[in-house]
């Protein structure tokens, strides 16, 4: 069974930094694209970034490019999101999502980031 | 960016009725890379349909997807109490991946 457990969320001041982690199990992590998707309180879903299985291809949504960095450690079955220069509008639940190609297939339960 | 628009915002129906949700993309999607997700309150989204019309594992056959090009539909035939939720469509053929704003299916 695919399991994705996010951690690292919390309260941070505008301009601050936070690093999210996602521990993956139940599948071959090194064979899967991985994503971060966020959802602001009471709002819809916004895809943030994804990374190819070998880390060799990465894409970001424009609103975070240059501030956020997605990375992975296949030896540790872990996905990361380094978030710098945080803004109030980055407040959201951040989901770690396993991909099948670019399809966002299996979702973690999310971790809440509050910028205030 | 391929903008995704869903309609209506809210659908008020009774159990047993048929729900028809619409999704439109601003550009023709790449291949058949269009998906639908269900999200219940306080839960993570769940993949329902991918490649326009393929049901994900464990999804009941009352859920069906159709469409092509820029216009797509999710149909729920015979709403069950557990189907009242928010539904999102998404194109995953071009970066950035984009979601529609969602359609809430509520009990009438």
């Amino acid at each position: 069974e695919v399991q994705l457990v996010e951690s690292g969320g919390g309260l941070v001041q505008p301009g601050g930094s936070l690093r999210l982690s996602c521990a993956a199990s139940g599948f071959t992590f090194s064979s899967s694209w991985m994503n971060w998707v966020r959802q602001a309180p009471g709002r819809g879903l916004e895809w943030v970034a994804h990374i190819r299985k070998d880390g060799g291809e990465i894409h970001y949504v424009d609103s975070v490019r240059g501030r956020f960095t997605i990375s992975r450690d296949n030896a540790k079955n872990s996905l990361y999101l380094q978030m710098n220069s945080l803004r109030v509008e980055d407040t959201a639940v951040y989901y770690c999502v396993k991909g099948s190609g670019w399809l966002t297939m299996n979702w973690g339960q999310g971790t809440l980031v509050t910028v205030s | 960016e391929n903008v995704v628009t869903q309609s209506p915002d809210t659908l008020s129906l009774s159990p047993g009725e048929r729900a028809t949700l619409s999704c439109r993309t601003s550009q023709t999607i790449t291949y058949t890379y269009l998906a639908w997700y269900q999200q219940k309150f306080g839960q993570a989204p769940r993949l329902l349909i991918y490649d326009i019309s393929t049901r994900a594992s464990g999804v009941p056959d009352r859920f069906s997807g159709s469409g092509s090009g820029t216009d797509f539909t999710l149909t729920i035939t015979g709403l069950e109490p557990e189907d009242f939720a928010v539904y999102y469509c998404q194109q995953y053929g071009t970066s950035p991946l984009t979601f529609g704003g969602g359609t809430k299916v509520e009990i009438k």
Side-chain angles (χ1 to χ4, degrees):
Chain A
E1 178 192 0
V2 173
Q3 287 205 326
L4 300 162
V5 180
E6 302 93 338
S7 61
L11 176 64
V12 62
Q13 293 184 339
S17 297
L18 215 52
R19 189 195 196 208
L20 305 184
S21 299
C22 171
S25 61
F27 65 101
T28 305
F29 181 77
S30 59
S31 297
S32 298
W33 280 80
M34 294 297 297
N35 302 261
W36 289 100
V37 177
R38 68 184 178 182
Q39 186 170 35
R43 304 294 297 274
L45 301 169
E46 181 182 40
W47 173 83
V48 173
H50 64 189
I51 183 168
R52 198 172 68 188
K53 52 189 178 181
D54 61 358
E57 184 176 346
I58 289 172
H59 298 270
Y60 297 97
V61 69
D62 282 351
S63 59
V64 309
R65 187 175 293 112
R67 299 188 300 123
F68 290 11
T69 302
I70 188 173
S71 63
R72 64 191 297 160
D73 185 336
N74 288 343
K76 294 182 178 180
N77 288 346
S78 293
L79 178 72
Y80 306 101
L81 186 68
Q82 177 67 44
M83 304 185 294
N84 299 330
S85 303
L86 281 160
R87 305 168 179 168
V88 171
E89 56 265 35
D90 295 319
T91 295
V93 173
Y94 284 74
Y95 294 101
C96 169
V97 189
K98 172 187 176 295
S100 174
W102 281 13
L103 172 66
T104 45
M105 178 164 277
N106 302 92
W107 298 60
Q109 285 305 302
T111 186
L112 176 62
V113 172
T114 303
V115 184
S116 177
Chain B
E1 174 175 323
N2 196 348
V3 177
V4 180
T5 304
Q6 291 184 243
S7 61
D9 291 338
T10 304
L11 208 46
S12 298
L13 296 167
S14 300
E17 290 193 297
R18 177 189 186 102
T20 303
L21 288 66
S22 295
C23 173
R24 177 167 289 177
T25 58
S26 62
Q27 304 166 27
T28 299
I29 62 168
T30 300
Y31 300 115
T32 55
Y33 293 159
L34 191 288
W36 291 90
Y37 300 83
Q38 177 193 65
Q39 187 177 33
K40 297 180 181 179
F41 184 78
Q43 296 185 17
R46 168 199 179 195
L47 176 66
L48 289 179
I49 302 281
Y50 62 96
D51 287 355
I52 299 177
S53 60
T54 303
R55 279 186 297 275
S57 175
V59 175
D61 60 8
R62 63 181 181 272
F63 291 91
S64 63
S66 63
S68 64
T70 61
D71 289 288
F72 306 93
T73 301
L74 174 69
T75 302
I76 311 171
T77 306
L79 281 163
E80 297 287 342
E82 62 267 28
D83 299 337
F84 291 92
V86 179
Y87 293 84
Y88 295 93
C89 64
Q90 176 211 39
Q91 68 80 22
Y92 55 98
T94 57
S95 181
L97 280 60
T98 45
F99 292 90
T103 292
K104 181 180 181 180
V105 179
E106 65 175 22
I107 300 176
K108 185 174 182 180

